[in-house]
Amino acid sequence: VQLQASGGGQVQAGGSLRVSCTASGRTLSRYTTAWFRQAPGKEREFVANIRRSLSSSTTAYGDSVKGRFTISRDNAKNTVYLQMNSLKFEDTAVYYCGATERHVAGPMTRADDYSYWGQGTQVTVSS
């Protein structure tokens, strides 16, 4: 599966932004898909994931984004979205989407859990 991330940009603190991860080549609902982010000089950080349809499409979030970000999937568009509200300066990073068709026990919050990656999209939050 090929993943294309898009929708990043610059927004003021407190604002909202939605990034998209569109798949080609395969049906994305068969994959668990996640968003990670990486700020300069920092490790890649888990943001959110949405399980494959066979796993009831359950979602999980990193502690730093709970209550502010929402992950969802539009099967008709073969796209996973990350809606980001109440953005903070510290949300500034390159956002990457990853996907895997493997069933992995546990929360699937490690980058190593995912086999396919998009190219990343920059999100910049100004204070």
Side-chain angles (χ1 to χ4, degrees), residues 6-119:
S6 62
Q10 186 166 353
V11 63
Q12 288 191 331
S16 298
L17 202 62
R18 188 179 76 167
V19 292
S20 304
C21 177
T22 301
S24 59
R26 293 290 188 273
T27 301
L28 197 55
S29 62
R30 296 181 179 179
Y31 293 74
T32 293
T33 307
W35 286 98
F36 286 75
R37 65 187 182 186
Q38 190 164 18
K42 294 189 177 181
E43 293 186 354
R44 192 165 292 195
E45 176 191 15
F46 170 75
V47 176
N49 67 24
I50 182 166
R51 299 277 181 154
R52 57 185 186 172
S53 296
L54 281 177
S55 301
S56 304
S57 301
T58 55
T59 59
Y61 297 90
D63 289 341
S64 61
V65 306
K66 278 180 184 176
R68 299 189 297 123
F69 290 12
T70 302
I71 190 170
S72 63
R73 184 171 57 228
D74 185 332
N75 293 336
K77 295 184 178 181
N78 218 26
T79 297
V80 166
Y81 299 102
L82 183 70
Q83 177 67 44
M84 303 181 289
N85 298 330
S86 302
L87 282 161
K88 304 176 182 179
F89 175 76
E90 50 265 39
D91 294 319
T92 296
V94 177
Y95 283 69
Y96 297 92
C97 59
T100 182
E101 56 192 333
R102 296 180 295 132
H103 173 67
V104 177
M108 297 186 71
T109 59
R110 302 181 311 128
D112 288 348
D113 291 332
Y114 299 87
S115 305
Y116 306 98
W117 291 93
Q119 84 287 2

